[in-house]
Amino acid sequence: MSSVIHSVCNEQWSFQRATYAWRACFGELAVDTIDRHILNILRKDGRAPVSEIARAVGLSAAPCARRIERMERAGVIRGYTAVIDDSRAGMLQAFIEIRLLGATDSDEIQGISESIPEIEESHSIAGTSDALLKLRVRDVTHLQQVINAVRRTGKVEGTKTFIIMNTWTRATEQAGTP
């Protein structure tokens, strides 16, 4: 009886490994429980040594490193970032809410954002405004210059600016930074 169970378990394990390998070969990345655990650790500390990650997920360093590399190649892990305190770096962050002119396609928000290097993110939104832009500038004078550049695109009907006074994010909290 135990040989039957052993055979069934081996077949199941082989099927799981084959499915995992097939997905990896054909671009459909299978992210399993261990991968998710690795991702959670990297979310908290992108500089965590592979040896520590491996120990936390119950693997040796080599297979853990291969999993991380595989997720990087597949685009699951798109990069690593540092958490910067902008106020200590002498920078200011703000959001600009924009309303586009009636004839302007909402897809043009990305073009506006790409043309102004201070804009870090752009989000198409629903409501009275069409987009929310997040930007980083040196000071209020620089902020005014960026707002003017957005208005001069000829595609914006109006703007509303919000200077960020304080920021909380789950990522920075998990990383143990203030």
Side-chain angles (χ1 to χ4, degrees), residues 11-169:
E11 286 177 26
Q12 172 117 16
W13 173 245
S14 296
F15 175 75
Q16 289 174 343
R17 290 182 65 198
T19 302
Y20 191 82
W22 185 86
R23 287 180 172 166
C25 289
F26 293 101
E28 185 182 331
L29 183 68
V31 177
D32 64 12
T33 305
I34 295 172
D35 291 336
R36 283 189 200 86
H37 193 178
I38 291 169
L39 292 171
N40 285 332
I41 292 168
L42 289 172
R43 275 189 191 100
K44 293 176 186 175
D45 182 5
R47 295 177 62 182
V50 171
S51 59
E52 285 182 22
I53 298 170
R55 189 171 30 261
V57 301
L59 294 174
S60 62
C64 183
R66 282 194 299 272
R67 284 173 175 263
I68 292 169
E69 290 166 5
R70 178 181 49 82
M71 289 188 286
E72 289 171 342
R73 282 192 312 273
V76 173
I77 299 173
R78 295 185 356 209
Y80 300 88
T81 62
V83 179
I84 309 296
D85 185 332
D86 285 317
S87 63
R88 291 183 183 191
M91 300 295 283
L92 179 75
Q93 284 189 308
F95 288 104
I96 302 175
E97 209 176 70
I98 63 172
R99 288 181 316 284
L100 299 172
L101 290 171
T104 305
D105 187 10
S106 63
D107 293 339
E108 295 185 54
I109 294 167
Q110 183 175 344
I112 294 169
S113 301
E114 289 173 347
S115 70
I116 302 171
E118 292 85 354
I119 298 175
E120 296 184 337
E121 299 175 14
S122 65
H123 306 272
S124 294
I125 58 175
T128 56
S129 296
D130 297 299
L132 189 61
L133 309 177
K134 183 178 178 185
L135 53 113
R136 186 180 318 273
V137 294
R138 291 183 306 276
D139 52 33
V140 176
T141 302
H142 189 198
L143 175 61
Q144 184 62 58
Q145 292 167 351
V146 173
I147 294 168
N148 289 340
V150 169
R151 290 177 179 163
R152 281 193 301 269
T153 63
K155 300 173 183 179
V156 175
E157 180 180 11
T159 64
K160 186 174 184 179
T161 304
F162 304 91
I163 294 175
I164 299 172
M165 305 296 287
N166 187 25
T167 299
W168 174 91
T169 70

